[in-house]
């Protein structure tokens, strides 16, 4: 195994909400005007129409918020290509420099792309050797230019490692930029705690959308506080907490984050009320125009996965007797979520497991004309390398499209492991009893990377090894419009805190700017970011800083090029 060492700079911003960048004094890094002029230079690169691709990346961000990046021939902000990257080294594919004052207001920004060592391509897909899709790089760097840091959401353009499809903004990217620059949107906040009411630093707090199945995220600060804004209204979210996977790619403030607050590290878990914490029934968090902001109170980290006792019993039997997980007549709810799991010791790459078998009894739904059942299986955003098959039956008849399986999404060639199904309810109530049968097998590492694209970027660090819960979301729609359970009462976890060995951890305040990182992989070096002190800027006591963010790639032997995974910053 080869090892590559690079002297790199680590970012000093504190990203406690989404992936927003902050100054060393916790000031939000942002522009103070709505139009950002930018000059695009030297676009006759690599024999492609770079200007068009850059314009497409700009449009991605312009579509996301009220902020507008506007190309201008005389702007001081710049996107350019360089044939001399000796100051950064051949491992750096691009760098973003952002200058700002003590209040966090950005003054100027520059993106420099490394044409010295890389041939940018104009087609999406996996990067091989020095051939990298330009829009993947530029979209990521423009996020830095706008004041965003890195995210651990696996489909986010601001994820630090390169993957196919990074050129398109995720729900997390959109919420992050809207939280900075837009208003009138939803917000969820709360405090993550362990035993003895101790706040936990560096918890990855993830909101799973009922509508899309996608994730918007935040990170808890040293008191355990988190805040996630820029959220869609008239939407339900389910909250999932887990330890951060790669703190050095986010901020040095998280370099001493701990997870050993249980007999072993705490695990990913869904936010459930204290009375139902062991039932595998996450609480739905409803945001609407009437209730756009919710403080959830205290949310506990957990030492073990919480699932319904009957379900856990059936998982231990030789055959799985069906479990009713949604009975509309009894519950009078329009949506229901349920946690299932597969154990690592029951999964292989060659054959599917025995099926989990569930029943949804919607025979009590009134006035079913035009009503639809929307069904989602969510697992991939949580880093679970599992291929699922889901059979869906309506009153004994398999619905169209069943069994639902993973898909390859073009043109980037991305694997979609999560499953979606939808079916109109019958006007005959007795016909609205649904059965769901779910089975799984382990996703092959080689298949995910070499044949169909990326299922989980930076697979070695971000794919779960032993903990494989999945979330079933069953909800009713009127046509295409979700029917919300408004007025739901949420219960926090202040009286049922887990993780008895939790102790207080402070964020790192080390102001040193450089560190040497030696990766433990022979494929690529993960990039970090840098904050460089430029000394006093214009005006008395303005104190200018330079935030540099770049993509770093390790130099690979030719025999490794086929399997090279490119990491970004």
């Amino acid at each position: 195994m080869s090892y590559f060492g690079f002297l790199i700079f680590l970012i000093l911003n504190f990203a406690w909400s989404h992936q927003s960048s902050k100054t060393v004094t916790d000031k939000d890094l942002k522009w103070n005007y709505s139009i950002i002029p930018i000059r695009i230079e030297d676009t006759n690169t690599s024999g492609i129409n770079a200007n068009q691709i850059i314009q497409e990346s700009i449009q991605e961000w312009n579509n996301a918020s009220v902020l507008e990046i506007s190309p201008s021939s005389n702007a001081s902000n710049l996107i350019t290509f360089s044939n001399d990257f000796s100051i950064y080294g051949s491992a750096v594919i691009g760098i973003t420099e952002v200058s700002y004052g003590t209040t966090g207001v950005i003054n100027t920004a520059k993106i420099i792309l490394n044409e010295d060592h890389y041939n940018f391509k104009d087609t999406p897909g996996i990067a091989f050797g020095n051939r990298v899709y330009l829009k993947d790089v530029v979209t990521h760097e423009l996020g830095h230019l706008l004041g965003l840091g890195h995210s651990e959401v696996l489909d986010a353009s601001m994820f630090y490692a390169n993957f196919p499809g990074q050129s398109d903004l995720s729900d997390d990217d959109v919420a992050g930029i809207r939280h900075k620059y837009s208003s009138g949107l939803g917000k969820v906040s709360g405090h993550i705690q362990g035993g003895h009411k101790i706040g936990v630093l560096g918890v990855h707090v993830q909101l799973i959308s009922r509508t899309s199945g996608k994730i918007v995220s935040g990170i808890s600060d040293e008191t355990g506080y988190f805040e996630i804004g820029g959220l869609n209204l008239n939407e339900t979210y389910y909250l999932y907490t887990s330890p951060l996977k790669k703190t050095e790619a986010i901020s040095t403030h998280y370099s001493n984050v701990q997870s050993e607050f249980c007999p072993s590290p705490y695990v990913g878990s869904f936010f459930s009320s204290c009375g139902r914490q062991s039932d595998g029934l996450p609480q739905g968090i409803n945001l609407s125009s009437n209730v756009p902001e919710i403080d959830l109170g205290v949310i506990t980290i957990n030492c073990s996965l919480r699932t319904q006792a009957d379900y856990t019993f059936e998982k231990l039997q030789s055959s799985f007797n069906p479990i009713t997980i949604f009975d509309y007549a009894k519950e009078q709810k329009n949506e229901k979520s349920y946690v299932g799991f597969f154990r690592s010791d029951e999964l292989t790459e060659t054959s599917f497991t025995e099926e989990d078998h569930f029943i949804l009894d919607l025979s009590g739904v009134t006035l079913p004309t035009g009503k639809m059942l929307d069904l989602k299986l969510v697992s991939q955003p949580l880093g679970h390398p599992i291929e699922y098959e889901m059979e869906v039956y309506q009153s004994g008849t398999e619905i169209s499209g069943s069994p639902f399986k993973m898909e390859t999404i073009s043109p980037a060639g991305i694997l979609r492991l999560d499953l979606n199904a939808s079916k109109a309810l019958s006007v005959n109530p007795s016909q609205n009893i649904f059965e769901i049968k779910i089975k799984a097998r382990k996703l092959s590492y080689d298949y995910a990377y070499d044949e169909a694209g990326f299922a989980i970027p930076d697979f070695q660090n971000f794919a779960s090894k032993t903990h494989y819960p999945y979330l079933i979301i069953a909800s009713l729609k009127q046509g295409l419009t979700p029917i919300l359970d408004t007025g739901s009462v949420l219960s926090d976890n202040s009286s049922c805190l887990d993780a008895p060995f939790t102790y207080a951890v402070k964020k790192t305040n080390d102001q040193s700017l450089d560190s040497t990182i030696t990766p433990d992989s022979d494929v690529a070096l993960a990039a970090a970011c840098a904050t460089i002190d430029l000394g006093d800027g214009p005006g008395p006591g303005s104190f200018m800083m330079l935030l540099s963010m770049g993509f770093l790639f390790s130099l690979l032997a030719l025999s490794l090029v086929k399997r090279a995974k490119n990491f970004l910053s």
Side-chain angles (χ1 to χ4, degrees), residues 305-497:
L305 176 66
R306 306 301 179 96
T307 57
Q308 190 177 41
D310 289 349
Y311 172 79
T312 303
F313 174 79
E314 291 297 339
K315 294 290 286 187
L316 299 175
Q317 306 310 304
S318 57
S319 61
F320 194 108
N321 292 313
I323 296 174
T324 299
I325 63 173
F326 192 1
D327 187 333
Y328 183 88
K330 291 181 179 180
E331 301 176 65
Q332 293 295 303
K333 291 184 176 294
N334 293 303
E335 54 188 293
K336 185 72 173 288
S337 64
Y338 192 87
V339 178
F341 67 88
F342 287 99
R343 302 185 309 271
S344 59
D345 60 2
E346 67 178 317
L347 292 168
T348 69
E349 294 181 3
T350 56
S351 61
F352 281 95
T353 60
E354 294 296 320
E355 62 195 25
D356 290 357
H357 191 173
F358 304 114
I359 295 175
L360 309 176
D361 186 347
L362 304 182
S363 60
V365 175
T366 57
L367 301 175
T369 302
K371 287 188 178 178
M372 305 279 294
L373 168 65
D374 186 64
L375 192 62
K376 287 183 171 59
L377 185 157
V378 180
S379 170
Q380 184 173 0
L382 308 179
H384 302 153
I386 308 296
E387 176 187 357
Y388 298 91
E389 282 194 4
M390 181 172 71
E391 298 175 7
V392 182
Y393 298 83
Q394 183 177 22
S395 296
T397 301
E398 194 165 9
I399 72 170
S400 177
S402 177
F404 298 91
K405 304 178 181 180
M406 70 178 186
E407 298 178 273
T408 303
I409 309 301
S410 298
I414 308 165
L415 273 182
R416 178 181 291 167
L417 306 179
D418 291 351
L419 306 179
N420 301 282
S422 186
K423 186 68 173 69
L425 269 61
S426 171
V427 294
N428 182 352
S430 65
Q431 296 297 308
N432 292 327
I433 298 176
F434 293 83
E435 289 182 83
I436 309 169
K437 298 179 181 180
I438 299 169
K439 52 188 177 180
R441 66 181 174 189
K442 188 178 296 183
L443 187 71
S444 164
Y445 177 94
D446 288 339
Y447 179 73
Y449 273 86
D450 289 344
E451 293 184 21
F454 281 38
I456 299 172
D458 193 7
F459 189 95
Q460 291 181 329
N461 285 306
F462 283 84
S464 298
K465 306 299 189 297
T466 58
H467 191 59
Y468 299 131
Y470 63 85
L471 182 68
I472 290 289
I473 304 174
S475 59
L476 296 176
K477 300 188 297 184
Q478 185 67 52
L480 299 177
T481 304
I483 306 173
L484 299 182
D485 289 322
T486 57
S488 298
V489 177
L490 295 169
S491 172
D492 79 353
N493 300 147
S494 55
S495 62
C496 57
L497 292 171

Side-chain angles (χ1 to χ4, degrees), residues 542-561:
S542 65
F543 189 68
M544 190 77 69
M545 299 289 286
L546 177 69
L547 182 65
S548 298
M549 310 177 188
F551 295 72
L552 282 88
F553 291 74
S554 63
L555 300 178
L556 307 181
L558 290 178
S559 61
L560 296 175
V561 168

Side-chain angles (χ1 to χ4, degrees), residues 192-201 259-262 266 300-301 303 497-505:
I192 309 297
Q193 294 183 356
H196 311 292
K197 300 183 179 180
I198 296 174
V200 183
L201 169 69
S259 62
E260 303 284 342
F261 302 141
C262 300
Y266 72 90
T300 184
I301 56 174
C303 294
L497 292 171
D498 199 356
F501 308 120
T502 304
Y503 55 89
V505 178

